[in-house]
């Protein structure tokens, strides 16, 4: 619970953060809300030599609706998303998800950019980004969500690249995110999101594999007129969950199916 | 107005303003000049030979003053860590435990070396630089596997893994079973639990070389016993060691016994001649603070078809871990309490303590009594289910009703009214209405269950005779001292200690009432061996009020009696002609002749004393209770199990408990809230798991070890009956552990009741959704 020694500096701008990352070398890391990084440092699972603090980058803290898109700055905290009327109006599913991330402390510190960059298998926003075809905007390029999340804790970000924004399509149709967990503040053992959009249902599954998964088979079953129960039978297609102390792999598969059915039934 | 005005009142906790504004005094708050910090290097293996320790790199690291190993500590510490007889006087194999491993380390987390540095971070960094060469040895993880002949040994030079094997015979078991019309058997698991107090352990020791004195600040439930043990190991007279424990951020039993660090920190301080501190990290707390439970029971109950209970036969396989906990054998009391509140013709209970390569187990809130209650209440429900009788009726049919009641093992329950608490609980929960709803729900395929737990507890340790044998010589009684200071305020000292129970409030209520003083004039002191009577016996086993509260009351009565004599002298009346009310001695029939007890106190330090009376107004009293005390009650839980996911939703929780007379209802309710939450935690959430192959702990963080929060605990409906204990003048019993003792059985019985239409008879703890889902799958295939 006592981190190893590390250096610390503040970034004054996006360009400065990128420059500092480049000059401080491979063992340096950005720190945003610290809600994933600090626990790992306290367990000495992460021992970065240098932290570059991006909390001062106010320019990355925004929620802007624009041309049928909802642009969310990387430094937007969970709590800000929960409170935002704009989010509720343009992408209410994001509000719903944000309100159930961690506990109040986590929500007031953690950022959407941090969740994306960290790419935890149980992170909730990656599921939304994937199912909605969101785009991750960095200091240098635009990366479609499906190309961004590569594996557990692994994204297509370059070592010195900064997530600046998440660009979501607006969606106001029926939606639901169901998160199965033991305690209210826990990560999802399995989560399922559904959103009715212009081209039909979008369905995504959290923590049934190393990265979030878009449930294409469920979506197409629904497009061909399947009811929620029938469609949910396809939820496990292509999933490869692992077993851990929280759930066996079989149980996770079963939950994916049950939650998909229920999310579709409950979507409003 | 009656004299008794504070006892029974909802007095707000006096300690709270300080604690909730961050002004508590915990170990980490204390920063003496010249403080050094200790970090512990721990074995990463469940079992290993230690071949070589290279201190070089660590010793050369910045800020490091010393890197110490067993070799260094053997020069400081004599003997081995204590193991008490508790409920098992004859043990088979008790491996010697020195506070730090020498050639062999026997569990993951066992100390192997320590680093002392000028700052905590530097100490932690240097600890990573100590190079320990291990030769991993085969480990034994599962207690039942450890019993198998020819299996791996938890200690390489052990004869086998059997710490003890003893059978308690309570009546003619063969005869009881011979009459049986029904028999049910069950295997019941009690998973290991981590006590997880909010304040982890911490030790600060300051050895002063010039006068050869040692002061230890320790987060402890048991400062005097720790002084006894540590002074012995350090070769210091007990009188030259002072143990101070101020605020303690929770203990739940885990801060009763001495720990390796309690020896290593004082020894390091003596080696370096400076104060040394070690604060446990949360990781260390989960890994090395003694676990609770860790038992496997097999049980068979015999009964008649009309519901008459006959016999109970059980075996407790208790996972000791790598060493016996100092009070580890206390947990065998599950055997002695397995009969619960019922009349049985006979009970036979075998306890087997088994060594494994894991952290030791020791008392944890309830210690043996939750296990005994859980077993008994599960078996009683199994019998009810087998013969198709309502579980409430079966309980009523077998309740003990005549008190004192002597159970199968000769223990005498002081007083009880088991029908009273059960009836009230059934009424509060609206039992018959829930049974109807259950019926309806079942028709729709929904799984609702109602679980009962009618419990009794042995607590309030004393008395002196049996407890002397259990500790190995020192009788568990309690000591208190009351001192009137000249200006009329009172300092009260007691040998128990609080870890959140609110003694500062409740004990002061007793003293204030006995002396007719306002609460603000009473100062309660505990936790410092330099103050008050010569010995204190600590807080555990729900003993503090029934033993310590009584000692305070006795001392206050002695003081009051002396004050009465002095007042009589001052008022020129006979002591018998004085009435004492609201803190004032008044002469009967003469309203103008009176003295307040404060005036008397001042006089006790003045010139005008009756012949033969000594100066001062103070007294030390010991209370040796004639029996244990036996609180009891009835808990009822209603659950709904989600058939698709196995998730359990707690719909309703009712608890009607009886702890005799109540000093402060708010404190009693608080104890019950916490206690019930802890039992629900065991029933549904918490489990320390070790990988069966590697022997490594799998639940080392609080993301994996699921301590529930307020969100997971339902609203609790509490009520009480009052059946005073005849064993003490206050008529009080204990309530600190009651909630935990009762609740796991209520929850699991409810779940089993819900699942019974599927043919599922038993669910082990924690009843996680995954586990229940699997049982449903198996039942349906
Ligand atoms: C108890 C608890 C429960 C939680 N439950 C959930 C949950 O249910 N669902 C969920 O989704 N999350 C959960 N979290 C995680 C939380 O959402 C974190 O906020 C999030 O994972 C990381 O965001 P952060 O801002 O705290 O990032 P940090 O911890 O500061 O950083 C995490 C990683 O991302 C990198 N990083 C951060 N920002 C950027 C950026 N802009 N560009 C590039 N790299 C960056 C950092 O270098 C680091 O490697 C939980 C956390 C805790 C402690």
């Amino acid at each position: 619970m006592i981190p190893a020694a590390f250096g610390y500096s503040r970034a004054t701008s996006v360009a400065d953060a990128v420059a500092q990352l480049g000059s401080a070398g491979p063992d340096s890391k950005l720190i945003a809300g610290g809600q994933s990084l600090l626990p790992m440092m306290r367990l000495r699972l992460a021992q970065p030599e240098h932290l570059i603090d991006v909390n001062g980058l106010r320019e990355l803290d925004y929620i802007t609706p624009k041309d049928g898109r909802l642009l969310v700055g990387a430094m937007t905290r969970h709590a800000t998303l929960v409170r935002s009327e704009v989010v509720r109006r343009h992408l209410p599913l994001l509000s719903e998800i944000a309100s159930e991330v961690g506990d109040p402390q986590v929500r007031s510190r953690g950022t959407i950019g941090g969740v994306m960059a960290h790419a935890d298998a149980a992170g909730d926003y990656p599921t939304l980004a994937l199912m909605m075809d969101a785009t991750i905007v960095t200091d240098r390029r635009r990366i479609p969500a499906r190309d961004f999340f590569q594996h557990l804790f692994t994204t297509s970000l370059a070592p010195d690249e900064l997530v600046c924004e998440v660009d979501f399509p607006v969606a106001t149709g029926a939606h639901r995110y169901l998160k199965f967990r033991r305690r209210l503040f826990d990560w999802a053992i399995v989560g399922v999101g559904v959103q009715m959009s212009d081209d039909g249902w979008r369905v995504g599954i959290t923590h049934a594999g190393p990265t979030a998964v878009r449930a294409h088979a469920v979506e197409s079953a629904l497009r061909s007129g399947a009811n929620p129960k029938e469609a949910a039978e396809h939820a496990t297609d292509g999933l490869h969950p692992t077993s851990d102390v929280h759930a066996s792999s079989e149980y996770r598969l079963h939950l994916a199916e049950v939650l998909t059915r229920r999310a579709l039934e409950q979507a409003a | 107005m009656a004299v008794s005005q504070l006892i029974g009142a909802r007095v707000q906790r006096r300690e709270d303003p300080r604690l909730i504004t961050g002004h508590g005094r915990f170990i980490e708050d204390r920063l003496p000049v010249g403080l050094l910090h200790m970090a512990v290097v721990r074995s990463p293996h469940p079992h290993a030979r230690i071949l070589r320790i290279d201190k070089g790199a660590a010793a050369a690291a910045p800020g490091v003053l010393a890197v110490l190993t067993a070799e260094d500590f053997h020069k400081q510490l004599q003997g081995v860590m204590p193991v008490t007889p508790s409920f098992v006087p004859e043990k088979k194999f008790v491996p010697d435990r020195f506070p730090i491993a020498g050639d062999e380390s026997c569990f993951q987390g066992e100390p192997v070396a320590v680093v002392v540095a000028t700052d905590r971070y530097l100490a932690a960094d240097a600890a990573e630089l100590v190079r320990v060469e291990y030769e991993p040895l085969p480990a034994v993880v599962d207690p039942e596997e450890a019993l198998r002949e020819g299996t791996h040994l938890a200690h390489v030079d052990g004869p086998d893994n059997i710490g003890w094997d003893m059978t308690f015979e309570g009546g003619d078991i063969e005869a009881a079973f011979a009459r049986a019309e029904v028999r049910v058997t069950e295997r019941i698991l009690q998973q290991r639990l981590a006590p997880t107090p909010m304040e982890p352990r911490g030790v600060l020791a300051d050895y002063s070389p010039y006068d050869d004195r040692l002061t230890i600040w320790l987060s402890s439930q048991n400062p005097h016993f720790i002084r006894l043990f540590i002074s012995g190991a350090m070769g210091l007279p007990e009188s030259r060691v002072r143990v101070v424990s101020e605020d303690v951020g929770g203990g739940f039993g885990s801060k009763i016994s001495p720990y390796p660090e309690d020896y290593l920190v004082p020894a390091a301080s003596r080696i370096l001649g400076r104060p040394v501190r070690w604060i446990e990290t949360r990781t260390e707390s989960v890994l090395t603070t003694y676990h609770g439970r860790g038992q496997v029971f097999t049980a068979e109950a015999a009964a008649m078809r009309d519901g008459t209970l006959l016999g109970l036969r059980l075996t407790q396989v208790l996972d000791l871990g790598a060493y016996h906990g100092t009070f580890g054998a206390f947990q065998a009391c599950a055997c002695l309490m397995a009969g619960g509140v019922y009349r049985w013709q006979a009970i036979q209970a075998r306890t087997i303590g088994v060594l494994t390569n894991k952290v030791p187990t020791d008392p944890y809130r309830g210690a043996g009594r939750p296990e005994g209650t859980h077993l008994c209440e599960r078996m009683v429900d199994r019998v009810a289910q087998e013969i198709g009788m309502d579980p409430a009726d079966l309980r009523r049919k077998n309740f003990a009703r005549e008190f004192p009641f002597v159970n199968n093992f000769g223990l005498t329950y002081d007083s009880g009214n088991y029908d009273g608490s059960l009836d009230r609980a059934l009424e509060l929960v609206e039992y018959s209405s829930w049974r109807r709803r259950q019926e309806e729900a079942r028709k729709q395929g929904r799984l609702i269950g109602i679980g009962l737990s009618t419990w009794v507890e042995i607590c309030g340790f004393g008395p002196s005779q049996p407890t002397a044998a259990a500790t190995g010589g020192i009788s568990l009684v309690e000591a208190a001292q009351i001192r009137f200071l000249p200006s009329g305020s009172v300092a009260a000292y007691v040998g128990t200690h609080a870890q959140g129970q609110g003694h500062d409030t409740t004990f002061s209520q007793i003293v204030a009432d006995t002396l007719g003083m306002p609460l603000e004039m009473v100062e309660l002191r505990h936790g410092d061996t330099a103050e008050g009577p010569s010995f204190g016996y600590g807080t555990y086993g729900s003993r503090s009020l029934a033993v310590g509260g009584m000692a305070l009351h006795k001392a206050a009565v002695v003081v009051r009696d002396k004050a009465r004599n002095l007042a009589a002298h001052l008022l020129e009346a006979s002591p018998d002609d004085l009435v004492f009310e609201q803190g004032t001695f008044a002469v009967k029939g003469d309203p103008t002749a009176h003295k307040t007890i404060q005036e008397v106190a001042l006089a006790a330090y003045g010139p005008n004393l009756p012949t033969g009376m000594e100066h001062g107004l103070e007294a030390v009293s010991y209370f040796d209770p004639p029996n244990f005390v036996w609180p009891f009650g009835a808990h009822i839980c209603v659950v709904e199990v989600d058939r698709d996911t196995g998730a359990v939703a707690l719909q309703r929780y009712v608890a009607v408990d009886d702890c005799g007379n109540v000093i402060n209802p708010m404190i009693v309710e608080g104890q019950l809230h916490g206690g019930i939450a802890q039992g629900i935690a065991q029933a549904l959430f918490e489990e320390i798991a070790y990988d069966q192959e590697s022997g490594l702990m799998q639940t080392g963080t609080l993301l994996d070890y699921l301590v529930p929060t307020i969100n997971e605990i339902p609203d609790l409906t509490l009520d009480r009956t009052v059946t005073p204990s005849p064993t003490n003048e206050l008529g009080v019993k204990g309530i600190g552990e009651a909630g935990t003792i009762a609740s796991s059985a209520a929850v699991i019985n409810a779940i089993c009741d819900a699942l019974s239409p599927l043919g599922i008879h038993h669910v082990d703890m924690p009843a996680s959704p995954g586990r229940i889902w699997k049982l449903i799958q198996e039942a349906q295939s």
Side-chain angles (χ1 to χ4, degrees):
Chain A
M1 302 307 274
I2 299 180
F6 57 87
Y8 173 87
S9 59
R10 288 203 171 102
T12 54
S13 65
V14 170
D16 177 48
V18 173
Q20 285 201 38
L21 270 175
S23 60
D27 286 331
S28 64
K29 266 203 171 301
L30 298 177
I31 179 159
Q35 297 303 298
S36 290
L37 185 55
L38 289 180
M40 292 178 75
M41 288 172 63
R42 285 161 63 91
L43 294 169
R44 298 201 173 202
L45 294 173
Q47 302 199 10
E49 273 174 14
H50 191 86
L51 292 185
I52 300 155
D53 187 343
V54 289
N55 281 281
L57 303 185
R58 287 316 237 344
E59 62 267 40
L60 296 183
D61 183 3
Y62 56 84
I63 300 169
T64 313
K66 194 176 159 205
D67 310 331
R69 319 280 312 168
L70 184 72
L71 312 180
V72 181
M75 283 307 295
T76 309
R77 320 257 172 203
H78 307 301
T80 311
L81 292 169
V82 177
R83 278 193 302 265
S84 164
E85 195 47 48
V86 175
V87 173
R88 226 168 326 202
R89 236 174 310 122
H90 294 84
L91 189 55
L93 184 53
L94 177 57
S95 285
E96 185 179 332
I97 294 177
S99 70
E100 300 210 0
V101 170
D103 54 31
Q105 287 101 315
V106 172
R107 289 197 288 275
S108 57
R109 294 297 301 162
T111 65
I112 190 168
V115 175
M116 297 301 179
H118 192 61
D120 194 297
D124 295 304
Y125 301 138
T127 309
L128 180 66
L130 209 61
M131 64 190 255
M132 297 311 293
D133 283 321
T135 303
I136 315 301
V137 183
T138 76
D139 60 279
R140 64 200 67 166
R141 56 187 170 143
R142 299 174 60 84
I143 311 173
R146 83 182 88 81
D147 301 331
F148 184 82
F149 300 105
Q150 299 197 323
H151 205 69
L152 183 61
F153 301 129
T154 313
T155 66
S156 51
L157 286 173
D160 65 344
E161 195 169 4
L162 187 81
V163 174
C164 295
E165 180 186 284
V166 186
D167 173 345
F168 291 103
V170 164
T172 56
H175 59 272
R176 190 81 174 103
Y177 188 72
L178 288 182
K179 189 167 170 178
F180 190 83
R181 57 216 198 275
R182 302 284 294 282
R183 298 172 299 184
L184 192 63
F185 69 88
D186 277 330
W187 298 81
I189 292 175
V190 172
V192 172
V194 301
Q195 171 76 57
M196 176 53 90
S197 67
D198 297 342
D199 56 359
W201 284 106
R202 301 288 188 105
V203 181
I205 303 179
T206 307
H207 209 188
T211 65
V213 170
R214 180 160 170 196
H216 290 288
V218 178
E219 292 178 8
S220 56
L222 288 163
R223 268 195 300 273
S224 350
N227 66 25
K229 184 171 185 312
E230 292 156 358
E233 282 164 16
H234 297 278
T236 56
D237 289 11
L239 297 184
H240 302 287
T242 49
S243 297
D244 57 28
V245 286
H246 299 295
S248 68
S249 148
E250 303 77 55
Y251 185 52
R252 281 207 162 88
L253 287 172
H254 171 74
L255 285 176
E257 181 177 338
V258 172
L259 297 180
T260 301
R261 170 169 57 75
R262 289 185 177 176
L264 288 166
E265 285 166 356
Q266 293 171 21
Chain B
M1 206 199 279
V3 170
S4 189
Q5 53 184 359
L6 288 166
I7 290 181
R10 287 182 176 268
V11 176
Q12 293 208 340
R13 284 164 45 102
R14 304 209 297 190
E15 41 278 86
D16 279 353
R18 185 164 51 79
L19 291 174
I20 63 186
T21 57
H23 293 83
R25 290 177 295 261
F26 300 99
I27 302 303
E28 211 169 358
D29 294 318
R30 184 168 286 277
L31 286 169
V33 174
L35 180 64
L36 299 175
H37 301 261
M38 186 178 102
V40 183
V41 178
R42 299 179 184 280
S43 170
H45 302 286
H47 197 187
R49 211 184 298 282
I50 299 168
L51 301 177
R52 221 170 64 84
I53 301 179
D54 177 1
K55 302 177 178 180
V64 172
L65 275 86
V67 179
L68 305 169
T69 62
E71 203 185 330
D72 305 295
F73 285 107
H74 275 293
K75 297 180 195 133
Q76 295 289 328
L77 300 167
Q78 55 206 34
V80 292
M81 292 173 68
V83 176
T84 63
S86 290
F87 287 108
V88 183
E90 290 197 8
K91 308 221 168 47
K92 287 186 180 293
F93 173 38
V94 182
D96 281 348
R97 182 177 194 195
F98 190 69
I100 187 164
D103 314 330
E104 183 187 355
S105 72
C106 296
F107 68 93
Q108 182 193 7
E110 182 164 15
V112 171
V114 306
V115 175
V116 185
T118 50
D119 126 346
R120 194 178 181 190
Y121 289 82
L122 294 177
D125 288 346
E128 298 218 318
L129 301 176
V130 176
R131 290 278 152 263
V132 186
E133 211 179 301
Y134 296 97
E135 177 195 324
L137 294 169
V140 56
V141 184
D142 179 73
E144 289 177 303
E145 165 63 23
L147 284 175
R148 211 171 45 81
E149 215 168 309
T151 192
H152 302 313
L153 294 175
H155 291 261
V156 281
D157 57 359
D160 49 33
N161 296 317
I162 301 178
W164 70 67
D165 184 351
M166 129 172 220
T167 301
F168 301 96
E169 302 280 359
D172 185 343
I173 195 72
E174 298 307 331
F177 270 79
R179 279 178 62 200
E181 292 171 354
V182 196
R183 291 171 180 220
V184 291
T185 57
E186 204 54 78
R187 182 186 144 81
I188 298 171
L189 226 88
Q190 287 277 343
Q191 78 272 33
R192 272 185 177 239
L193 301 175
T196 49
M198 235 196 270
E199 181 199 20
R201 294 184 292 124
V203 192
L204 191 168
D206 190 358
Y207 174 78
S208 158
Y210 307 102
D211 48 9
D212 195 27
R213 279 171 197 282
L214 174 66
T215 306
I216 304 170
W217 288 267
L218 186 74
S219 183
S220 176
Q221 300 175 229
N222 208 6
H224 291 84
F225 270 101
I226 299 293
R227 176 179 64 173
L228 179 71
F229 296 140
I230 306 297
S231 61
M234 298 274 291
L236 288 168
E238 199 177 343
S239 52
R240 236 181 273 157
V241 178
R242 176 182 176 198
V243 175
V244 190
S245 183
E246 296 180 280
D247 290 316
V248 179
F252 312 114
S254 71
K255 295 174 182 171
I256 304 171
S257 295
Y259 282 85
E261 296 83 358
D262 304 354
Y263 297 83
L264 301 178
V265 175
S269 175
R270 184 157 69 184
I271 291 170
L272 292 160
R274 284 174 66 175
V276 176
R277 188 178 84 180
W278 167 80
I279 301 288
E280 187 182 53
T281 65
R282 183 56 67 189
T283 311
E284 289 177 306
S285 175
V286 178
L287 192 65
T288 70
T289 284
Y290 301 150
H291 292 160
R293 320 285 190 257
Q295 297 157 41
V296 187
F297 290 90
T298 45
E300 185 174 14
M304 303 297 280
R305 287 242 156 253
D306 69 356
T308 307
L309 297 172
L310 295 173
L312 183 61
R313 193 156 33 199
L314 63 114
T315 302
Q316 172 192 43
V317 174
L318 196 153
D319 180 355
L320 296 170
Y323 303 94
H324 290 255
T326 300
F327 297 99
F330 184 91
Q331 302 171 93
C333 102
C335 294
L336 299 172
M337 290 307 294
V341 290
Y342 312 106
R343 286 169 282 123
W344 298 85
Q345 196 177 318
I347 302 178
Q348 183 189 58
R350 179 179 180 196
T351 173
I352 309 173
V354 192
L355 292 149
T356 59
N357 294 108
K358 295 186 282 192
V359 70
T361 56
D362 218 28
Y364 168 63
R365 203 168 190 171
R369 291 154 291 161
E371 297 93 315
T373 305
H374 195 84
L375 176 120
C376 179
E377 292 301 291
R378 285 268 50 237
M379 295 310 285
V380 164
D381 263 27
R382 290 282 289 107
V383 171
Q385 192 187 29
E386 193 70 22
I387 61 176
M389 189 166 176
D390 186 287
D393 295 336
L394 187 123
R395 282 172 170 77
R396 279 204 200 89
K397 189 170 178 70
N398 294 282
F399 275 159
R401 288 205 175 79
E402 276 157 39
F403 295 91
F405 169 77
V406 182
N407 85 358
N408 296 74
F409 301 107
L411 293 164
T412 305
Y413 299 10
D414 56 352
S415 63
N417 172 14
Y418 305 147
D419 293 283
S421 48
L422 177 60
D423 289 346
R424 182 71 184 128
L426 291 169
E427 177 187 329
L428 276 174
V429 83
E430 296 171 335
Y431 186 66
S432 38
S433 141
W434 269 110
R435 284 283 176 219
R436 276 197 302 279
R437 274 147 97 178
Q438 177 180 44
E439 195 72 1
E440 284 306 305
R442 278 181 183 169
K443 284 182 202 145
Q444 303 157 19
R446 283 169 52 212
L447 303 170
I448 286 182
I450 305 151
L452 276 62
S453 169
T454 44
W455 65 278
V456 63
E457 170 191 0
I458 175 174
C459 66
F461 304 91
S464 59
Q465 287 306 324
T467 54
T471 67
I474 291 194
S475 291
L476 299 179
V477 295
E478 199 47 82
Q481 180 171 29
I482 300 280
R483 292 181 187 159
F484 248 110
L485 309 189
S487 58
S489 60
V490 170
Y493 303 83
V494 65
T496 55
H497 192 22
Q499 311 94 50
Q501 297 92 336
H503 295 176
D504 191 5
T505 306
T506 49
F507 284 12
S508 301
Q509 286 176 254
I510 296 172
V511 173
D513 267 6
T514 312
L515 296 174
M517 307 268 293
L519 199 64
E520 308 76 62
M521 295 296 273
V522 178
E523 169 80 8
L524 186 87
R525 305 279 311 163
H526 49 193
D528 185 343
T529 61
E531 297 181 340
S534 64
F535 206 77
Y537 304 80
T539 284
Y540 41 82
S542 304
R543 67 183 301 276
S544 295
L545 174 60
V547 195
M550 268 304 298
L552 272 170
H553 176 67
K554 272 186 76 180
V557 168
V558 173
V559 162
R560 193 178 68 193
D561 288 347
K562 180 173 178 184
R564 175 187 292 272
N565 289 335
L566 181 50
H569 172 74
L570 298 172
L571 295 165
E572 295 175 358
S574 146
D576 298 337
D577 287 338
L578 296 186
V579 285
F580 183 63
E581 226 171 77
Q582 294 296 298
T584 301
F585 295 98
V587 180
K588 274 183 218 155
D590 180 359
T592 60
H594 51 75
K595 290 270 176 209
T596 66
I597 194 162
Q598 273 101 340
E599 289 170 324
V600 178
L602 184 59
Y605 293 89
N608 184 15
L609 300 183
T611 338
M613 183 181 280
E614 289 183 2
H615 278 83
L617 190 53
E618 56 185 329
V620 171
S621 290
Y622 280 75
F623 180 64
D624 178 6
N627 185 3
F628 308 99
V629 289
W630 303 80
F632 61 90
H635 288 214
I636 304 181
C637 178
V638 182
V639 303
E640 176 156 5
V641 178
D642 181 336
R643 204 183 192 117
D644 287 340
T645 63
V648 173
L650 297 175
Q651 307 281 7
R652 189 106 168 75
Y653 198 100
V654 168
V656 178
D657 297 296
D658 191 321
C659 58
N661 289 333
V662 168
I663 304 297
N664 183 332
M666 200 163 60
I667 297 267
V668 167
E669 286 155 19
Q671 288 297 304
L672 283 166
H673 282 144
I676 292 169
Q678 237 158 337
I680 291 175
Q682 177 172 16
L684 297 179
F685 296 99
E686 297 181 12
E687 174 174 35
I688 286 287
Y690 285 86
D691 185 81
Q692 293 299 318
E693 293 290 306
S694 67
L696 298 176
M697 191 189 285
Q698 296 172 300
T699 48
T701 75
L702 296 187
L703 276 183
D704 297 322
Y705 185 78
L706 306 180
V707 180
T709 69
I710 189 69
N711 299 302
E712 285 71 50
I713 304 300
D715 281 345
L716 307 172
T717 305
L718 304 184
D719 199 2
R720 76 173 76 85
T721 57
V722 177
T723 310
S725 171
T727 63
N728 62 68
E729 228 175 288
L730 294 168
V732 296
K733 299 185 176 184
I735 200 68
E737 297 161 292
T740 310
I741 290 170
S743 54
S744 72
V747 175
I748 295 296
N749 279 346
I751 295 171
C752 295
D753 185 45
L755 297 176
S756 61
L758 307 175
I760 295 168
H761 295 307
H762 179 69
V763 179
D764 273 319
M765 301 185 288
S768 64
R771 171 175 262 158
I772 293 179
W773 174 73
K774 199 158 165 248
L775 284 173
I776 296 178
Q777 292 297 104
E778 286 162 5
Q780 287 174 342
S781 67

